[in-house]
Every structure is written in C-alpha cells, then in structure tokens.
C-alpha cells in the first residue's frame, strides 16, 4: 500500500519569525532530528506566529528532514507537548491509531538512502512530501506490524545500551584529560598544530555497489571511524580524489555539519574517502600526538570552542576557518604520549563493546531489509 493511504504526508509551516529565548511555542527544525530516529527537543527556537494547528506536533507523528545534508533523517514524536513544525520538516501523521507509529518510523528509516539519492543532484538536496507519500509500505496485519516493532525495539535497546557503554568510556578519557592538562597554559592554534586542514570532496562522486568505502558524518558518531556504508567508489575515483586529502594512519577527521564536533583518529590502514561535511586534519607529529589532539577536541574546553564557532540555524556548520582558530593546550610531548597510552588501554575495552555493537547493528539492518525490502 502507498504511504499516503495510511498517513497524511506534508511539509511544515514556513515560519518567518524566531525567538532565541523561551517566548512562544518551540519549533522543530531539521536540526532537531537525530540520526538514531529520535528528536532532540532541548535545542529549539521559539515563535509567536499564529499557525494553523495542522502544523502543531501530535504524539505519534513521524518527522523527516526534507533538505540539506541531513535529508532523510527520521524522528518520532513520543510526548504530548506542543511544538510547531518548520517547513523543511516533513510531517507523516497516521490516519488511524491502529497503525503503530514505530512501524512508520522504521519504514522511513529504511528508506533513508533512497530518499537521499532521490534528493541529490541539486546544489542543495531536497525532496518533496509528495514523493515520499508514494512510497510502498508492506501491507501486513496490524498484529504483525506490532510484532515486528517489538522485535526491532528490543534490538534497538541493545544498541542504545552498547552506545551508552562507549559513551561512559569516552567520559573516562575526558575526565583524565582534564585531570592531566586542565592547568596547562601553553595554548596553540589548530592552524599551527596541523599541516593540512581541509574537507572532503565537494562534488558527489559516482557511487557503485562495491569498492572503496565512502563514509559520511554518521561514520564518526562514536568519535571513531567506522567503515560500514552503502556507498563505494572505484579505484580510479579514489586515486583522483585522494590527492586533495592524502589521509593516512594517525590523521584525524572531524564532523562539521549536522552532527558536528565528533573527532576520530584514523587507526587502520584502510583505503577510504569521505564527504565534504567531514574536515580532514593532518597533525604535525613532531608537535602533537594524534590521540592527544583527539582528546583535546573532545575535552570540555575543545567542545565549548566548537559550539561557540558553529554557524547557521537550520543547519549548523563548523567552518574550516574557525577550526583553524581553535586553541589547544600543548604540554610536553612526553606528557601527551602518557595520555595516549591511557587512551589505548581504555580503547581495548571500547573495541570489545564496539564489536558487540557492530554485530547487533548488523542484525538490526538485516531485519530492516527483511521487513521493508
């Protein structure tokens, strides 16, 4: 059955006025839609505009990013509070409560790559609600829908638990960094610590089903590089694009758009390339240890500077010129190496958790494919 047989599908309201303070009703924009299918409702702007109530949030709604780098991201509204939905967000609203809201969410999550591909081809990716409304949803019994959602929810809970373990280990590293270097007064700019600060290719390359991985911002979400992707490029394309970003072990990547501020050290000798929403940092090895620099960017002061330098409202972006201005404490290299040794010990635990996480994600993805094609 078509999605529009069971849901209303339309875009949000073209708001003109926004308030930075808590005045009026909060607004859901594409930046509030998270990659894991949830909504970040803590970082909202507000509006006093008079808006038709069909653009008010309903519990059970599924929202989808219709444009920009995050096109295709899906979030579900699972609280009763009232929000206004902005125009670049697609509203997918059930026509009947018999359809599980999570069934719609999981269906649209499965369509993420399709949506992004259909939206690409312009300077700014963009897809219309009418296109999404025509998507074919598996027509199964309501009991079967609930059963599939129950299974997927259980696996998703395990994934969330594994991610929480990784987050706890990351917090341990952050605490150690502050303990060791919180009083360091020798501050040096990223521009002076790196030989290269640039970003990935600005022209979407020709993709193929196999080959060299082409990674996205989502591959840095745990502050490490993962290579699970559905986008691959040929050796010829790799050799052409690699000249601009000659990445090697010990270099760093940093997400700059959407889910920004996630650094990752390249630890494996694997050929890959990446999109322009990822910054490429090549450290001066004689000055700074790669794992120390990773820790400095993740430390509270590093993240504070990133937050202060991010620009944009609908789609927040960390510009290369601002990355160059980030100031990093620079202790003696021996102290940096001692911190890096501590990180490597913690990373041994992270590797075990990450392996379990990857296996669980593989199961989740295989079931999503089985259920939704």
């Amino acid at each position: 059955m078509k999605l529009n047989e069971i849901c209303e599908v339309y875009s949000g309201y073209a708001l003109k006025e926004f308030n930075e303070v808590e005045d009026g009703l909060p607004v859901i924009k594409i930046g509030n839609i998270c990659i894991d299918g949830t909504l970040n409702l803590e970082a909202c702007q507000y509006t006093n505009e008079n808006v038709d109530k069909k653009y008010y949030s309903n519990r059970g709604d599924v929202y989808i990013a219709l444009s920009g780098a995050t096109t295709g991201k899906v979030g579900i509204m699972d609280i009763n509070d009232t929000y206004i939905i902005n125009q670049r967000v697609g509203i997918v609203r059930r026509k009947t409560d018999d359809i599980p809201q999570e069934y719609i969410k999981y269906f649209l999550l499965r369509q993420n790559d399709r949506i992004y591909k259909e939206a690409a081809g312009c300077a700014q990716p963009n897809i219309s609600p009418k296109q999404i409304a025509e998507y074919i949803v598996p027509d199964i019994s309501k009991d079967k829908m609930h059963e599939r959602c129950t299974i997927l929810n259980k696996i998703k809970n395990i994934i969330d638990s594994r991610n929480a373990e990784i987050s706890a280990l990351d917090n341990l590293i952050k605490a150690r960094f502050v303990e060791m270097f919180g009083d360091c007064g020798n501050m040096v700019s990223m521009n002076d610590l790196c030989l290269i600060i640039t970003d990935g290719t600005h022209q979407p390359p020709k993709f193929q089903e196999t080959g060299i991985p082409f990674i996205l911002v989502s591959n840095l979400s745990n502050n490490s590089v993962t290579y699970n992707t559905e986008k691959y490029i040929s050796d010829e394309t790799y050799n052409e694009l690699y000249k601009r970003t000659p990445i090697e072990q010990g270099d760093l990547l940093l997400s700059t758009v959407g889910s920004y501020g996630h650094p990752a050290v390249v630890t494996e000798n694997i050929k890959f390339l990446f999109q322009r929403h990822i910054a490429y940092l090549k450290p001066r090895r004689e000055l700074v240890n790669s794992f120390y620099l990773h820790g400095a960017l993740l430390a509270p002061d590093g993240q504070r500077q990133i937050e202060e330098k991010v620009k944009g409202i609908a789609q927040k972006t960390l510009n290369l010129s601002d990355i160059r201005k980030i100031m990093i404490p620079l202790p003696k290299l021996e102290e940096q190496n001692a911190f890096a040794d501590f990180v490597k010990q913690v990373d041994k635990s992270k590797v075990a958790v990450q392996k379990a996480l990857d296996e669980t994600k593989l199961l989740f993805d295989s079931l999503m494919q089985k259920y939704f094609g």
Side-chain angles (χ1 to χ4, degrees):
M1 55 187 172
K2 290 183 180 180
L3 181 60
N4 61 14
E5 293 179 41
I6 56 174
C7 296
E8 297 177 82
V9 186
Y10 57 98
S11 59
Y13 187 77
L15 292 163
K16 300 177 181 64
E17 298 176 6
F18 297 99
N19 307 318
E20 295 294 340
V21 297
E22 296 185 13
D23 180 22
L25 287 173
V27 178
I28 293 178
K29 297 184 174 183
I30 56 175
N32 298 105
I33 305 176
C34 303
I35 197 167
D36 61 355
T38 61
L39 297 173
N40 175 14
L41 299 177
E42 296 179 1
C44 287
Q45 289 185 299
Y46 291 77
T47 185
N48 284 312
E49 285 191 59
N50 186 20
V51 175
D52 190 302
K53 290 194 174 180
K54 79 172 190 174
Y55 300 110
Y56 283 25
S57 61
N58 276 3
R59 184 168 188 163
D61 284 352
V62 177
Y63 302 128
I64 184 165
L66 298 175
S67 64
T70 59
T71 300
K73 279 203 307 185
V74 171
I76 192 166
M77 190 68 184
D78 56 6
I79 60 174
N80 290 319
D81 294 350
T82 301
Y83 292 76
I84 303 295
I85 314 304
N86 199 34
Q87 70 179 121
R88 297 173 71 194
V89 176
I91 302 169
V92 183
R93 181 167 292 165
R94 299 172 296 166
K95 293 180 178 179
T96 170
D97 291 343
D98 290 343
I99 304 290
Q101 59 180 25
E102 288 168 327
Y103 187 74
I104 304 303
K105 179 191 79 169
Y106 285 126
F107 167 75
L108 288 171
L109 281 171
R110 176 61 187 161
Q111 311 308 311
N112 180 268
D113 281 341
R114 174 185 175 182
I115 292 170
Y116 193 82
K117 287 175 184 175
E118 292 182 358
C122 306
Q124 175 87 328
N126 186 73
I127 194 166
S128 74
K130 286 184 178 180
Q131 288 173 270
I132 297 171
E134 294 291 317
Y135 287 2
I136 302 300
V137 184
D139 187 3
I140 58 178
S141 70
K142 305 305 183 291
D143 287 343
K144 201 72 176 175
M145 289 181 184
H146 282 287
E147 178 185 318
R148 290 183 176 184
C149 289
T150 299
I151 293 170
L152 290 171
N153 285 340
K154 286 180 179 179
I155 300 173
K156 181 67 168 54
N157 288 339
I158 296 172
I159 291 173
D160 291 344
S161 176
R162 300 293 188 215
N163 280 324
E165 289 181 66
I166 291 174
S167 179
L169 291 169
D170 284 338
N171 287 336
L172 177 63
I173 293 173
K174 291 176 189 178
R176 182 63 171 161
F177 184 93
V178 173
E179 179 185 346
M180 292 181 68
F181 309 114
D183 296 329
C184 179
N186 183 29
M187 305 296 288
V188 180
S189 71
M190 287 290 292
N191 191 58
D192 292 331
L193 291 176
C194 295
L195 289 166
I196 299 174
I197 298 179
T198 188
D199 52 11
T201 177
H202 285 227
Q203 296 298 323
K206 182 179 180 181
F207 295 118
Q208 54 190 42
E209 293 185 0
T210 60
I212 295 170
F214 188 88
I215 68 170
L216 309 176
V217 167
S218 57
N219 292 94
L220 308 182
S221 59
N222 284 324
N223 303 311
S224 59
V225 186
T226 59
Y227 302 96
N228 52 311
T229 181
E230 294 184 2
K231 298 182 183 296
Y232 297 89
I233 57 175
S234 65
D235 286 322
E236 182 181 5
T237 301
Y238 171 83
N239 291 333
E240 179 184 341
L241 298 177
Y242 176 77
K243 297 172 186 175
R244 184 168 181 271
T245 52
I247 195 158
E248 57 188 348
Q249 285 176 281
D251 292 346
L252 275 76
L253 302 176
L254 177 67
S255 58
T256 61
V257 176
S259 180
Y260 59 84
H262 291 285
V265 179
V266 178
T267 60
E268 299 179 69
N269 187 22
I270 294 176
K271 284 184 176 182
F272 72 97
L273 281 175
F274 47 94
Q275 67 175 159
R276 69 187 178 111
H277 302 311
I278 296 175
Y280 165 49
L281 317 174
K282 184 175 282 293
R284 296 179 183 271
R285 307 293 171 86
E286 72 277 10
L287 292 179
V288 64
N289 181 293
S290 299
F291 290 95
Y292 170 82
L293 185 57
H294 180 266
L297 289 170
L298 276 175
D301 185 63
Q303 288 292 300
R304 177 190 59 78
Q305 291 184 67
I306 288 172
E307 286 292 340
E308 288 176 352
K309 296 179 188 305
V310 165
K311 294 179 173 63
I313 297 175
Q315 183 164 283
K316 294 190 175 182
T317 302
L318 178 64
N319 294 323
L320 295 177
S321 59
D322 289 316
I323 293 174
R324 295 187 178 97
K325 297 174 186 176
I326 294 173
M327 302 299 292
I328 300 295
L330 191 68
K332 294 179 180 178
L333 198 54
E334 294 81 5
E335 296 174 357
Q336 296 180 41
N337 292 338
F339 173 77
D341 289 339
F342 173 79
V343 171
K344 288 175 183 176
Q345 291 300 314
V346 176
D347 279 349
K348 290 179 181 179
S349 298
K350 283 182 66 176
V351 166
V353 178
Q354 187 66 52
K355 183 174 183 293
L357 175 61
D358 291 342
E359 291 171 350
T360 310
K361 285 182 175 178
L362 187 62
L363 173 60
F364 182 84
D365 291 343
S366 67
L367 285 174
M368 287 282 278
Q369 182 174 8
K370 177 181 177 181
Y371 293 161
F372 301 112

